[in-house]
């Protein structure tokens, strides 16, 4: 995998016409309540897994950039942690990170779960965005879960946007399904049309700017979230200690060895993660290893350790070390 850094490429794709519409490029922030499908949409749009998703809220901790290049535009999509009320230091950093993203982009995409009527959580975010200087689009996600009531549900969102004394808005609504891809192409075209003219900012085949280590750590954390009970997930962090490439050969392909530590806050959580006779840790390792083999396109050897670090979530230094910046 290429740990790609932004490189300005002077040549733009040639679309064969001298009166061509200009190529467009820029940043799109995905904003929305936890669990509305931001990470799923990101993966759907770039056509491969770059963000981890889960039925558990607050999965996404870091701001992730995914890059989508079409013949007409390049969209740099920022996945943000869901906006919610902060409970402790980590929670505050998550919210800061999401709010920070709003100020730095060309277009905001507000995602809502349109299989449910508009609620107060969405209203809170809409009010944050009302005075946005950049265009806002609304993705009515989870369209695969609505039937005849689709129009009624959409109307609740339209009313929410219009209902404000100080600043009613009428942002475009796009029904879509991040899960099966319905409506996603039209959504991308609408977002692209609102980007400024500009060159490719990343090579056209780049899908993510996330460092490899972070992606690998996230793949392990995803297995923890999927396989363990609710009391563990939010106090887990993963640190990749070492990646050794060309670690021997398996059937003609070079093997990659990954050593990682799972940090938890309490020894009871360590017990859950390791499981009876080590079964849980083994299952986590196997699941993560299968995903990593897709990333490396070759065999992976994964060794996992579990370590108790009391209160890691409340220590600014430890948060920074794990990549959670309060910017
Ligand atoms: P995030 O917190 O906004 O990033 O949400 P995720 O992308 O992690 O998704 C939360 C849950 O909603 C997961 O279980 C997804 O599979 C599910 N989900 C996301 N998009 C859709 C969709 O379009 N349709 C359906 N049915 N489920 C979805
Ligand atoms: Mg997410």
């Amino acid at each position: 995998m290429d740990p790609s850094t932004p490189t300005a490429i002077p040549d733009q794709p040639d679309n064969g016409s001298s009166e061509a519409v200009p190529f467009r490029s820029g940043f799109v922030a995905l904003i929305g309540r936890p669990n509305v499908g931001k990470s799923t949409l990101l993966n759907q749009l770039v056509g491969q897994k770059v963000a981890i998703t889960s039925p558990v809220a607050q999965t996404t901790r870091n701001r992730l950039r995914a890059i989508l290049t079409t013949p007409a535009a390049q969209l740099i999509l920022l996945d943000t942690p869901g906006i919610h009320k902060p409970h402790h230091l980590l929670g505050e950093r998550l919210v800061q990170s999401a709010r920070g993203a709003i100020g730095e982009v060309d277009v905001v995409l507000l995602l809502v779960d349109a299989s449910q009527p508009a609620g107060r959580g969405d209203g809170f975010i809409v009010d944050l965005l009302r005075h946005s200087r950049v265009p806002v689009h609304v993705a009515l996600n989870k369209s695969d879960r609505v039937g005849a009531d689709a129009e009624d549900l959409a109307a609740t969102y339209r009313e929410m946007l219009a209902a404000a004394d100080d600043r009613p808005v009428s942002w475009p609504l796009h029904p879509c399904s991040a899960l099966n891809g319905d409506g996603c192409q039209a959504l991308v075209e609408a977002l692209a049309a609102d980007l400024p003219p500009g060159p490719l900012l990343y090579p056209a085949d780049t899908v993510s700017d996330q460092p490899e280590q972070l992606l690998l750590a996230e793949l392990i954390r995803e297995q923890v979230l999927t396989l363990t009970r609710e009391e563990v997930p939010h106090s887990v962090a993963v640190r990749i200690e070492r990646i050794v490439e060309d670690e021997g050969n398996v059937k003609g392909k070079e093997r990659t060895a990954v050593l990682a530590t799972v940090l938890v806050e309490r020894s009871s959580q360590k017990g859950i993660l390791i499981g009876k006779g080590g079964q849980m840790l083994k299952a986590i390792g196997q699941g993560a290893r299968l995903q990593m083999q897709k990333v490396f396109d070759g065999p992976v050897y994964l060794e996992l350790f579990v370590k108790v670090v009391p209160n890691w979530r409340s220590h600014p230094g430890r948060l920074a070390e794990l990549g959670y910046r309060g910017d």
Side-chain angles (χ1 to χ4, degrees):
M1 218 174 61
D2 178 20
S4 24
T5 42
T7 41
I9 298 183
D11 294 334
Q12 294 177 17
D14 180 10
N15 50 17
S17 159
S18 53
E19 292 172 64
V21 246
F23 190 79
R24 295 176 183 277
S25 62
F27 292 81
V28 180
L30 272 61
I31 308 284
R33 280 189 300 116
N35 256 359
V36 292
K38 297 178 295 297
S39 300
T40 307
L41 182 68
L42 210 71
N43 293 335
Q44 173 68 245
L45 293 184
V46 303
Q48 82 183 55
K49 194 175 184 88
V50 290
I52 71 167
T53 61
S54 93
V56 186
Q58 262 182 273
T59 307
T60 307
R61 282 192 189 149
N62 289 283
R63 241 196 269 165
L64 168 72
R65 287 178 181 184
I67 297 130
L68 170 63
T69 309
T70 74
Q74 184 168 67
L75 290 76
I76 300 159
L77 304 152
L78 307 180
D79 189 11
T80 61
I83 295 182
H84 62 106
K85 264 185 143 178
H87 293 299
H88 46 67
L89 187 57
L90 177 58
E92 272 170 38
R93 294 239 168 135
L94 293 174
V95 175
Q96 276 171 19
S97 171
R99 283 191 165 152
I102 299 171
E104 296 165 6
V105 296
D106 300 296
V107 178
V108 169
L109 177 60
L110 167 62
L111 241 85
V112 298
D113 176 352
S115 67
Q116 297 169 2
R120 286 174 58 195
D122 301 304
F124 172 70
I125 302 171
V126 166
D127 289 338
L128 278 181
L129 293 174
R130 277 189 201 280
H131 296 274
S132 164
R133 278 174 292 123
V134 301
V136 179
H137 289 253
V138 182
L140 300 174
N141 193 33
K142 309 200 184 183
S143 64
D144 56 290
R145 288 173 61 178
V146 300
D149 52 347
E151 219 1 85
D152 292 344
L153 287 164
T156 67
Y157 288 94
R158 210 172 284 117
E159 281 157 21
M160 178 173 68
L161 302 184
D165 297 336
D166 58 336
R167 199 163 181 356
V169 288
S170 57
W171 301 323
L173 305 181
H174 308 277
C176 62
S177 167
L179 205 59
N180 68 20
D182 281 353
C184 288
Q185 196 179 336
L187 174 65
V188 167
E189 284 166 14
L191 295 173
D194 267 343
L195 292 178
L200 283 173
L201 300 168
Y202 289 85
D205 58 359
T206 313
V207 294
S208 169
D209 77 337
Q210 196 177 29
E212 187 171 87
Q213 293 211 350
L214 206 52
L215 174 61
L216 298 180
E218 289 288 88
L219 291 176
I220 296 169
R221 206 163 61 82
E222 179 176 50
Q223 292 301 317
V224 173
L225 292 174
T226 309
L227 295 173
T228 62
R229 282 187 231 144
E230 283 183 6
E231 62 265 33
V232 180
H234 290 146
S235 37
V236 162
V238 176
R239 193 167 63 204
I240 302 293
E241 310 289 355
R242 212 139 51 94
I243 303 172
V244 189
E245 290 185 56
D246 196 14
E247 209 256 0
N249 248 278
V250 181
K251 291 183 192 150
K253 282 196 164 184
E254 62 181 46
R255 185 170 78 160
T256 308
V258 178
L259 268 64
T261 306
V262 182
L263 308 176
V264 291
E265 290 192 318
R266 291 192 295 272
S267 57
S268 61
Q269 296 166 335
K270 180 175 177 177
I272 295 169
L273 274 190
I274 291 175
K276 217 174 183 183
Q279 288 299 314
M280 178 56 84
L281 195 61
K282 196 172 163 195
I284 291 167
Q286 271 170 355
R289 194 169 60 80
L290 289 176
Q291 295 286 339
M292 289 178 183
Q293 298 196 147
K294 291 185 202 158
V295 172
F296 289 110
D297 192 23
V300 168
Y301 167 77
L302 172 62
E303 197 160 320
L304 284 181
F305 305 91
V306 182
K307 193 174 164 190
V308 180
V309 182
N311 299 322
W312 70 259
R313 277 187 292 184
S314 303
H315 289 277
R318 294 215 173 103
L319 288 177
E321 189 188 313
L322 294 164
Y324 307 131
R325 287 182 301 270
D327 57 358

